[in-house]
Each structure stands twice: as C-alpha cells, then as structure tokens.
Amino acid sequence: GESVGLHLPTLSVQEGDNSIINCAYSNSASDYFIWYKQESGKGPQFIIDIRSNMDKRQGQRVTVLLNKTVKHLSLQIAATQPGDSAVYFCAENRAGSARQLTFGSGTQLTVLP
Amino acid sequence: KAGVTQTPRYLIKTRGQQVTLSCSPISGHRSVSWYQQTPGQGLQFLFEYFSETQRNKGNFPGRFSGRQFSNSRSEMNVSTLELGDSALYLCASSGRLAGALDTQYFGPGTRLTVL
C-alpha cells in the first residue's frame, strides 16, 4: 500500500558531526514533502519543506534532498547539536488531497556528547 | 505572533464517555487539521476544515467528528470512548488561500487517556 517510511528508527551521532535522516515514499503523485521535529511532550515543529519540482532546498543548518526517481527524501543536519535530539518525521502531501499529511514512522535522533 | 493553541492539554476519561477538544489556529489561518498520534500507529490524519467546511476525512469511525467556527477555531469530538482512543491529539493550522499547499503548524496537542 501507499506509505511514507523511514529507513532507521534510531540514529546516534556525535555532537558536531553531520546527521543524515532518510525517508522513502511510495506515492509518485505526492508533490509536497515536509520534515518535522518532535521533542518529548511537544507537537511537531516544522523544519523545512520541498516541492516536487525541486531536488534540493537549504535552510539554517538543514538541507533536504528529494530524489523522485527512487522516491527518496533525506534530511541533512550540519554540525549536530544536543538540542537537535528529537524524533524526526517526514511527511507528504499528496496532490489533490488538500492539507492531508501522511507521516512516516519517525527516527529518534540522539546526539552524543 | 501566537502559535496554535489547544485546550485542554491533558484529559482523563472513562470508556463510554465523550470528549471535546479545542484548537485555536494561528491568526489569519483558515485551515485546521486534526491528527491522532499513538505509539503503535504513529501520526494519522483525522480530518481537515477550511472556512467551516470539512474538506477531507481520514479513515476513522464516525465516533470522531469535528467542526469549525467562523473565527476558524475548531473542535473535535469523540463519542463513546474506547481504550484505544488514548492518544495525543494534534491540531495543525495553515493556509490563507484555499488552493495553496502551505505549511501546517502544529499545536502542543491534547493528551487523552481513556480508562
């Protein structure tokens, strides 16, 4: 069936290193992708988004890459900091489905001192 | 600019009861979406309202319902509560324009526990 999935449920990185969180999606009709960060006890926080007519977008310390050929999305975090420890979700908005997001299962990122 | 607010933050109910959760979107936003988050199923879409109209509905039973008021505030209701309804209920707001695929901003959620 159609789904959005993340490759790894957990990821540990050293403080200062770069982090890469991956996500695979199956619906080629999706045209908008978003990464959210969720800290314990809080709602998801928007990080960065990308539309299907782009393959790369950069923000502050974050980069999202979209490979439509293999239906793969990744989030790169540069110089990972302790405050980056959280669960990261990718989500897709399928074309024609208004504002209905389909979420992946999440990756728990732990930043080690 | 104030973010999305949800009340109450925590709620404990017993099976068979009903519950109403409230969401106030970011000022100017006309779309409100609701999601359920559980450890087993993750984040799942419940429904979306835009200008007081339900535009989209997820795969949940009819016990889950919602509405949106003229000021864009939204409520969701769950009737005849079941143990499996225990979850974090999240509200997200977005959109000043009907056709735009713009960012959804989430509130802190309401933690519902059904005993």
Side-chain angles (χ1 to χ4, degrees):
Chain A
E2 298 171 344
S3 64
V4 179
L6 287 168
H7 292 311
L8 291 173
T10 62
L11 177 66
S12 295
V13 298
Q14 293 292 141
E15 183 178 352
D17 286 353
N18 296 335
S19 303
I20 299 176
I21 301 172
N22 295 303
C23 179
Y25 65 95
S26 59
N27 190 336
S28 56
S30 294
D31 56 1
Y32 179 51
F33 303 88
I34 314 99
W35 282 99
Y36 286 94
K37 169 187 179 183
Q38 188 175 26
E39 298 173 283
S40 181
K42 298 183 179 180
Q45 175 189 351
F46 170 81
I47 301 173
I48 192 167
D49 58 4
I50 189 167
R51 299 189 186 274
S52 58
N53 60 353
M54 304 170 68
D55 53 21
K56 181 179 180 179
R57 191 164 188 222
Q58 289 184 288
Q60 187 177 13
R61 284 201 306 119
V62 294
T63 300
V64 55
L65 299 177
L66 176 63
N67 185 330
K68 293 180 288 292
T69 302
V70 295
K71 296 179 197 161
H72 183 268
L73 192 69
S74 69
L75 176 70
Q76 300 177 1
I77 305 173
T80 312
Q81 303 169 358
D84 295 327
S85 292
V87 179
Y88 289 80
F89 294 95
C90 63
E92 63 175 310
N93 201 124
R94 297 172 184 175
S97 63
R99 294 180 180 85
Q100 175 177 343
L101 294 176
T102 299
F103 283 83
S105 53
T107 290
Q108 172 70 60
L109 174 65
T110 301
V111 181
L112 306 171
Chain B
K1 192 172 188 181
V4 179
T5 58
Q6 292 187 245
T7 57
R9 293 293 313 278
Y10 302 92
L11 207 48
I12 299 175
K13 292 286 187 179
T14 57
R15 280 178 297 175
Q17 288 186 309
Q18 74 162 16
V19 67
T20 299
L21 312 181
S22 181
C23 172
S24 292
I26 293 170
S27 178
H29 283 186
R30 296 163 64 189
S31 168
V32 173
S33 299
W34 289 89
Y35 294 83
Q36 181 197 63
Q37 186 175 28
T38 60
Q41 299 298 318
L43 277 149
Q44 294 186 291
F45 172 79
L46 280 157
F47 29 66
E48 187 234 356
Y49 288 86
F50 187 93
S51 293
E52 301 179 68
T53 300
Q54 185 182 90
R55 295 199 300 182
N56 222 346
K57 184 169 168 46
N59 189 26
F60 279 82
R63 299 185 298 106
F64 292 81
S65 63
R67 59 177 175 169
Q68 187 180 34
F69 303 95
S70 58
N71 61 358
S72 293
R73 190 177 70 84
S74 177
E75 290 180 345
M76 68 163 282
N77 184 78
V78 188
S79 63
T80 320
L81 284 166
E82 301 177 359
L83 295 179
D85 297 332
S86 294
L88 181 67
Y89 289 89
L90 292 158
C91 164
S93 84
S94 67
R96 294 172 177 81
L97 301 175
L101 276 178
D102 42 9
T103 305
Q104 291 191 42
Y105 295 94
F106 283 84
T110 294
R111 172 72 63 185
L112 172 65
T113 302
V114 182
L115 302 176

